[in-house]
Amino acid sequence: HRAGHRKGTAVTSVAFSPCGLRIVSAGRDSTARVWSAATGRPSYVLGGHVAIVSGAAFSPSGHWVVTAGPTAAGLWETPTRQRLLFLYGHSGRLLAVSFACRVCGGIPELLQLAERRLAATGRKLTPEERRRYFGGR
């Protein structure tokens, strides 16, 4: 409870942001929480999972947090504190999560991937989506 997760629930993972200013913790109380590393005070809660959150990690840029558990991974944008999506389809429990730079690439690669996947549905990124998710690129 001292760490801010619901009393009587365990913290399952902890990770520092790349800049070292923030910490993300995951817990059995169905949440991940972001903290100030300098003060130890909670900044905000990443909610929406239905059960234990087994892992959480910052992206190499610190712009996103990914959470895992129990059968979905969540992607959160740190500046807005908004959940962007949940990824479903795992047949087993997710126990950990991380970002792999080779897979994610940079913003240009992510933008190309998003455009290809949306094109398959017959839709394009709106100017607002470009600003929100890719900084106007």
Side-chain angles (χ1 to χ4, degrees), residues 34-121:
V34 176
W35 310 85
S36 164
T39 66
R41 293 182 186 220
S43 296
Y44 53 95
V45 176
L46 305 174
H49 283 276
V50 298
I52 183 174
V53 180
S54 300
F58 284 95
S59 67
S61 68
H63 189 82
W64 295 286
V65 168
V66 64
T67 56
T71 59
L75 182 64
W76 313 81
E77 187 177 46
T78 57
T80 64
R81 304 174 183 181
Q82 297 292 314
R83 183 182 71 225
L84 301 177
L85 56 93
F86 269 132
L87 301 169
Y88 298 97
H90 298 278
S91 58
R93 286 187 67 187
L94 294 174
L95 301 176
V97 66
S98 67
F99 278 88
C101 296
R102 290 184 309 262
V103 175
C104 291
I107 295 294
E109 289 84 6
L110 289 173
L111 180 57
Q112 289 174 356
L113 176 63
E115 288 174 335
R116 280 195 313 268
R117 293 208 173 151
L118 282 175
T121 69

